[in-house]
Amino acid sequence: MKKYIVLLFLFSFSFVSAQRFDIIWGKMSNLKGIPAFNVIFDYTNLQVEGFETEEAFLADKMEKRKDFEGKPEKFKKDWFENRENKYEPKFIESFNKRFDKGEIKCDKDRDLKYTMNIKTTWIYPGYNLVEFSQPAKISATITVIETANPDNILLVIKFDKSIGLAQGIFEFDEGYRIAGAYEKLAKNMTMQLKRFL
């Protein structure tokens, strides 16, 4: 009986911690009946865990690679390109696949009535050293507006430390680890939307 109570507590705790969010403005029901969202991604003033600024993070990582020709520049280039190449497609894919009947969709660069702005505020890149690993995590604020009338804000919801879903057995690629956190962010958002379908 004692084991059962402990397991129940751990399950409940993990579920709640996986769903950490705060509605800052509006309510989820404001999105009821909206079939599609244009999605934009915003990384301005992004904070990286352990560093005061994103620039400080990049400077540190590039310094550690300075003895390897081309590595510092490649790290910086990949850091920015991973946004469009890995994080954003993973969010969109994860969001759309959770509505298997196509009830709600999202996509980039679409002329749609409503826009969902995904503003990433914090990233923990995680790590994988074979023996030890930590998944990536992100915090983001999602704001839904009427595209033609941006002052009409339907919802502002903040998700805190969405833990990355596994992207493979050995996630040595930092970009894929972080993409897993965007996959989880989309999952968390769709779970809330489904309550109002």
Side-chain angles (χ1 to χ4, degrees):
M1 181 66 176
K2 198 173 187 181
K3 277 186 182 178
Y4 174 76
I5 292 170
V6 170
L7 286 172
L8 184 62
F9 172 77
L10 289 174
F11 175 78
S12 301
F13 177 78
S14 65
F15 179 79
V16 170
S17 65
Q19 294 302 306
R20 291 183 293 194
F21 68 92
D22 288 306
I23 293 179
I24 310 300
W25 175 265
K27 48 191 176 180
M28 290 298 302
S29 59
N30 288 348
L31 309 188
K32 185 174 182 179
I34 298 176
F37 298 93
N38 177 49
V39 183
I40 58 176
F41 294 86
D42 181 359
Y43 305 93
T44 56
N45 301 317
L46 171 67
Q47 183 181 5
V48 182
E49 175 66 21
F51 296 88
E52 287 190 21
T53 64
E54 183 181 21
E55 291 74 20
F57 164 78
L58 289 169
D60 178 78
K61 296 299 181 185
M62 292 174 74
E63 174 67 20
K64 288 176 179 175
R65 291 161 172 77
K66 68 179 182 181
D67 294 333
F68 302 94
E69 187 178 346
K71 291 284 187 180
E73 295 75 17
K74 183 178 187 315
F75 181 87
K76 185 174 183 178
K77 181 172 179 282
D78 289 347
W79 176 258
F80 289 109
E81 288 185 353
N82 283 340
R83 296 171 177 182
E84 188 172 355
N85 296 337
K86 294 177 181 175
Y87 313 161
E88 297 170 15
K90 184 58 75 173
F91 179 93
I92 293 167
E93 175 194 3
S94 177
F95 186 100
N96 290 336
K97 80 176 183 182
R98 296 180 195 288
F99 296 102
D100 53 2
K101 296 178 183 175
E103 306 96 313
I104 303 176
K105 295 249 180 229
C106 76
D107 204 355
K108 280 179 67 177
D109 304 319
R110 296 288 305 278
D111 183 17
L112 296 169
K113 186 173 182 181
Y114 296 99
T115 293
M116 184 182 291
N117 183 337
I118 316 296
K119 178 169 177 49
T120 306
T121 55
W122 174 87
I123 287 180
Y124 169 64
Y127 59 86
N128 192 329
L129 303 174
V130 182
E131 300 89 353
F132 305 102
S133 64
Q134 280 287 327
K137 300 173 191 156
I138 60 169
S139 295
T141 300
I142 298 178
T143 303
V144 180
I145 61 169
E146 185 180 357
T147 306
N149 180 19
D151 290 335
N152 182 15
I153 300 170
L154 282 68
L155 177 75
V156 180
I157 184 170
K158 180 179 179 182
F159 289 93
D160 186 44
K161 297 181 180 175
S162 293
I163 300 171
L165 298 174
Q167 302 300 300
I169 299 173
F170 298 109
E171 296 166 26
F172 294 111
D173 186 310
E174 186 172 70
Y176 284 116
R177 283 198 306 271
I178 297 172
Y182 281 89
E183 181 179 6
K184 183 62 177 291
L185 177 67
K187 180 181 179 181
N188 290 345
M189 183 63 178
T190 57
M191 286 177 71
Q192 300 310 313
L193 281 170
K194 285 184 173 185
R195 295 170 55 209
F196 298 95
L197 282 179

